[in-house]
Amino acid sequence: MSDVTACPLDCYDACGIVYDNAKLKGAKDWHTKGFLCPHLNHYHKYKQIHMPRYKGKEIALDEALVKLKDILNSSKSSEVLHYRGNANFGLMQEVTDHFFALFGATLVNGSLCDEAGEAGIIAGRGSNLNMPLSEIQKSELVIIWGRNPHATSSHLLPVIRDKIVIVIDPIKTKIAKIADLYIQIKPHGDLYLALLLSRFLYIENSCDEEFIQKYASDFEDYYELTQGIRIKTTLDEIDVTLGEIGKLLELVKNKKVAIVCGVGIQKYSDGSDVLRAIDAFGVSLGLFGREGCGVSYLGNSKDKITSPFHTKAQRISKVNSKFKNYKTVFIQGANPLSQMPNTSRVKESIKDVQNVIYFGLYENETSDVADLIIPAKSFLYKNDIRTSYSHNAMMFMPKVADNDFGISEYDLSNYLCKEFNIDIEDESFYLQYFKNFGVIKMDGSWHVENREEVPYQNGFDTKNREFCFLEEFDTDFNMNEKLFLITPKSVTSLNSQFRRENSVYLNSSHGFFENEVVKIVSACGNVKLKVKINDDLREDCVVIYSGTRGLNNLTSSKHSLDSKNAIFQEEKVEVIADLG
């Protein structure tokens, strides 16, 4: 017997899944087209936590819930922090916020992923709406800017087949090797390239004048801002040629263009400016509100959906949470001891917490230090609904199998609400509540109601319906002699889940040998890793994949300038031989 569900993972694709005799297959009639990513193809190989533990001793689930209740009873509400990650994109994940907010605990905000880019998009457009995959499919030319679809969004690949492809990336990825134009830009050079593209487009009289007059009347002022860039100096600094810019502008002329951006380009203090400048280039071309055109990033997955949960609470940043300020820290679906920046600071902070509670699927650095471990149920064994930041589908995630371990987010929250006399509705109420935001399309699929397939057809979501351009930018390139740190997603892991990387990738020009152990050093700390040689990298780059143990010894816990977003690639590094 087979059932249809959806992948819960924090990923562009948000795949449809057929669960058939305990095996996972790609749904053929969804954008999944019958195939799944490596994470889901090998999902059953990754051992999940089965038994709760307290102080290292296995206990029954009922006993673990009583322990949790007792810990919360012994803590003032102001002494409790609820730190929830986003590894699971099911809408029911937020039900735990409902309990902890009404309990009086502190919750978290900010992002370890994409919020800087989103802040820039909202500053320009007034909102962050999806350019869905269905619209990318209608384009004639796709610019893949800082994204590696083979690793992060494999279901994009059939969509862009037979299109003109331009790739802008410091790493010569698989897609870069077959692109019509590949620009191997220096890391953190994306803002300046985007500014120059708008400037040269104007000089060549190739802007969409009708669109600009209607929805971007401040473009002349923006052009003046771009004139503040010294062309030769800037091109030398970002390692891009006039010829490459000329070829790009020639290729996009009179085409339906989709600009598909990854998160790596905004992992800097000025990350919001990068996406805002790329959007401005899109405005110059008149890409918004047109079929098959636009700028794709991570859209707002909850657009047009409101929450039924009570989530108003005191909040602190997810990027630099001071765990030591709390007696009890409840960590859900997250691994802060690996994924938060500046790991040494995080370790120092959490060791002073009296009660560390870990609620999740897998063992990791955070479960290693937890006092109480409560296993969660995977998406196969509970009910949920999800939406996506790359398409507008509403995807139902019914329980498709039974198991005898773990507890769902709703059941845990329901237990706590009952014990602390906090109101909570039946699970079926919340599932129906979310379902009411969906609408059935002609093909039988469900989509979020009132979302536009072609967003911004009537202008932007700003007060005057016009795009708001950057008015200033930082001209400090920070292109010193140290190496750029790049922290992309791996094909084999999703952050610290699944099969994690354990190496540093370097160009052979550095003189190190394959599997040689080296020390990578930043202003924040260091890590020792084995070398993997990869000459697809620029010589001035060091690649350590997200989820690699010790990576965030190197990263700063500062925020991006315009949002509470981690800036994992801000710190530059040195690589030295490990002499023992």
Side-chain angles (χ1 to χ4, degrees):
M1 181 178 178
S2 61
D3 296 280
V4 177
T5 183
C7 174
L9 297 176
D10 177 8
C11 169
Y12 293 101
D13 289 351
C15 294
I17 297 171
V18 175
Y19 182 81
D20 187 7
N21 293 320
K23 293 183 179 179
L24 305 182
K25 303 176 183 178
K28 292 183 179 179
D29 55 347
W30 293 26
H31 69 279
T32 316
K33 303 298 183 187
F35 72 93
L36 298 172
C37 73
H39 307 319
L40 289 179
N41 279 327
H42 304 289
Y43 191 75
H44 288 297
K45 295 181 180 178
Y46 304 109
K47 186 178 179 181
Q48 297 175 10
I49 301 171
H50 282 213
M51 290 296 296
R53 296 198 303 274
Y54 182 66
K55 301 292 186 181
K57 179 183 176 183
E58 289 190 353
I59 58 177
L61 180 60
D62 288 347
E63 187 179 351
L65 295 178
V66 172
K67 288 284 186 187
L68 174 58
K69 178 191 70 173
D70 291 344
I71 288 170
L72 293 174
N73 265 324
S74 69
S75 306
K76 297 177 183 177
S77 60
S78 61
E79 296 175 325
V80 177
L81 173 66
H82 175 37
Y83 188 102
R84 182 169 66 86
N86 292 319
N88 186 315
F89 252 62
L91 295 171
M92 288 295 292
Q93 300 300 297
E94 199 177 38
V95 67
T96 50
D97 288 4
H98 176 86
F99 166 73
F100 282 103
L102 290 171
F103 178 78
T106 299
L107 277 60
V108 292
N109 58 15
S111 172
L112 302 182
C113 183
D114 62 299
E115 200 168 281
E118 181 177 60
I121 288 171
I122 292 172
R125 305 183 206 169
S127 64
N128 180 21
L129 304 183
N130 277 329
M131 181 189 182
L133 284 169
S134 56
E135 288 305 305
I136 297 174
Q137 191 161 20
K138 296 173 185 176
S139 67
E140 298 168 317
L141 181 148
V142 178
I143 300 176
I144 298 178
W145 202 322
R147 190 192 292 190
N148 180 6
H150 285 87
T152 64
S153 44
S154 56
H155 291 92
L156 178 64
L157 296 171
V159 171
I160 64 175
R161 187 180 293 129
D162 301 324
K163 301 186 189 304
I164 299 169
V165 174
I166 298 171
V167 175
I168 303 169
D169 201 305
I171 304 171
K172 194 171 187 179
T173 57
K174 283 186 179 181
I175 194 71
K177 292 176 182 179
I178 60 172
D180 297 272
L181 172 63
Y182 172 48
I183 300 176
Q184 194 165 23
I185 192 171
K186 189 176 287 189
H188 206 182
D190 309 280
L191 169 62
Y192 310 104
L193 176 58
L195 290 163
L196 285 172
L197 288 172
S198 293
R199 179 173 173 181
F200 281 107
L201 200 68
Y202 179 88
I203 291 170
E204 293 182 358
N205 294 316
S206 297
C207 295
D208 187 325
E209 295 294 343
E210 182 180 350
F211 183 86
I212 287 172
Q213 287 177 16
K214 194 171 183 180
Y215 297 122
S217 60
D218 289 336
F219 182 76
E220 290 283 349
D221 293 337
Y222 181 66
Y223 171 69
E224 287 186 19
L225 180 72
T226 68
Q227 287 182 300
I229 298 175
R230 298 176 61 188
I231 294 174
K232 186 179 184 309
T233 300
T234 302
L235 290 174
D236 289 344
E237 289 286 2
I238 67 175
D239 200 13
V240 175
T241 68
L242 275 175
E244 288 169 330
I245 287 179
K247 185 173 181 181
L248 187 154
L249 295 180
E250 182 63 32
L251 287 171
V252 301
K253 192 175 294 183
N254 302 318
K255 298 286 195 312
K256 289 184 177 181
V257 177
I259 304 175
V260 179
C261 300
V263 298
I265 58 178
Q266 53 89 68
K267 291 183 179 181
Y268 303 97
S269 56
D270 61 350
S272 65
D273 289 350
V274 176
L275 265 296
R276 199 170 173 187
I278 292 173
D279 263 1
F281 176 54
V283 168
S284 305
L285 289 168
L287 300 184
F288 292 95
R290 290 173 52 199
E291 186 176 80
C293 300
V295 178
S296 170
Y297 181 58
L298 282 70
N300 178 5
S301 64
K302 295 180 181 177
D303 179 48
K304 302 296 188 293
I305 296 175
T306 59
S307 175
F309 303 121
H310 183 103
T311 59
K312 185 177 180 181
Q314 178 74 28
R315 292 180 183 261
I316 62 171
S317 171
K318 188 181 291 186
V319 176
N320 60 2
S321 299
K322 295 179 176 59
F323 295 121
K324 65 182 180 182
N325 292 346
Y326 300 90
K327 179 180 178 181
T328 298
V329 176
F330 184 96
I331 298 168
Q332 173 189 340
N335 183 12
L337 268 76
S338 169
Q339 294 308 108
M340 279 179 70
N342 199 343
T343 300
S344 61
R345 186 202 68 82
V346 179
K347 287 180 177 178
E348 279 297 308
S349 186
I350 208 164
K351 74 178 185 181
D352 295 326
V353 177
Q354 186 172 324
N355 306 299
V356 177
I357 303 157
Y358 174 77
F359 177 44
L361 291 171
Y362 304 106
E363 301 284 6
N364 54 39
E365 292 92 332
T366 302
S367 68
D368 286 345
V369 304
D371 301 286
L372 175 62
I373 296 173
I374 301 175
K377 283 192 179 293
S378 87
F379 74 104
L380 299 171
Y381 310 115
K382 62 189 177 187
N383 295 304
D384 212 330
I385 295 176
R386 75 158 295 169
T387 52
S388 170
Y389 46 70
S390 71
H391 55 73
N392 293 329
M394 174 172 280
M395 308 165 77
F396 301 114
M397 304 168 64
K399 177 181 174 181
V400 295
D402 293 305
N403 73 341
D404 57 1
F405 60 89
I407 186 170
S408 72
E409 290 75 16
Y410 175 81
D411 287 342
L412 178 70
S413 302
N414 185 49
Y415 169 82
L416 291 172
C417 284
K418 294 293 194 294
E419 292 295 326
F420 289 90
N421 297 313
I422 291 172
D423 290 337
I424 188 170
E425 301 285 351
D426 290 338
E427 182 181 44
S428 59
F429 169 86
Y430 295 119
L431 291 168
Q432 185 60 50
Y433 176 92
F434 287 124
K435 187 175 181 179
N436 289 343
F437 288 100
V439 61
I440 302 177
K441 295 289 188 179
M442 293 291 290
D443 62 0
S445 64
W446 281 73
H447 282 224
V448 180
E449 192 169 17
N450 297 321
R451 280 195 189 173
E452 298 175 288
E453 285 299 307
V454 182
Y456 308 111
Q457 291 184 78
N458 299 309
F460 297 99
D461 292 330
T462 54
K463 288 183 180 179
N464 62 359
R465 313 300 294 178
E466 294 194 21
F467 186 79
C468 295
F469 291 97
L470 271 174
E471 296 180 351
E472 59 182 357
F473 61 90
D474 187 2
T475 55
D476 180 11
F477 292 101
N478 187 27
M479 305 293 191
N480 58 40
E481 292 302 312
K482 291 184 180 179
L483 301 171
F484 292 96
L485 174 64
I486 304 179
T487 61
K489 293 281 200 302
S490 166
V491 175
T492 62
S493 67
L494 189 58
N495 299 322
S496 62
Q497 295 183 87
F498 311 127
R499 187 160 61 86
R500 298 163 68 174
E501 295 271 358
N502 57 10
S503 302
V504 55
Y505 291 78
L506 299 170
N507 188 286
S508 60
S509 63
H510 294 285
F512 295 108
F513 302 104
E514 187 85 4
N515 293 321
E516 180 179 355
V517 176
V518 296
K519 182 187 287 187
I520 305 95
V521 181
S522 78
C524 298
N526 65 80
V527 62
K528 293 182 181 181
L529 295 169
K530 287 184 178 181
V531 170
K532 295 292 183 186
I533 300 299
N534 186 348
D535 284 340
D536 291 329
L537 311 182
R538 291 176 54 93
E539 294 181 10
D540 53 6
C541 292
V542 169
V543 169
I544 306 177
Y545 285 99
S546 176
T548 301
R549 295 180 188 276
L551 162 62
N552 284 318
N553 295 349
L554 305 172
T555 58
S556 167
S557 56
K558 294 178 181 178
H559 290 118
S560 54
L561 294 175
D562 294 325
S563 63
K564 292 181 179 179
N565 195 69
I567 51 174
F568 289 113
Q569 296 178 174
E570 187 84 3
E571 294 295 326
K572 299 189 77 174
V573 299
E574 295 177 276
V575 181
I576 57 178
D578 178 38
L579 302 178

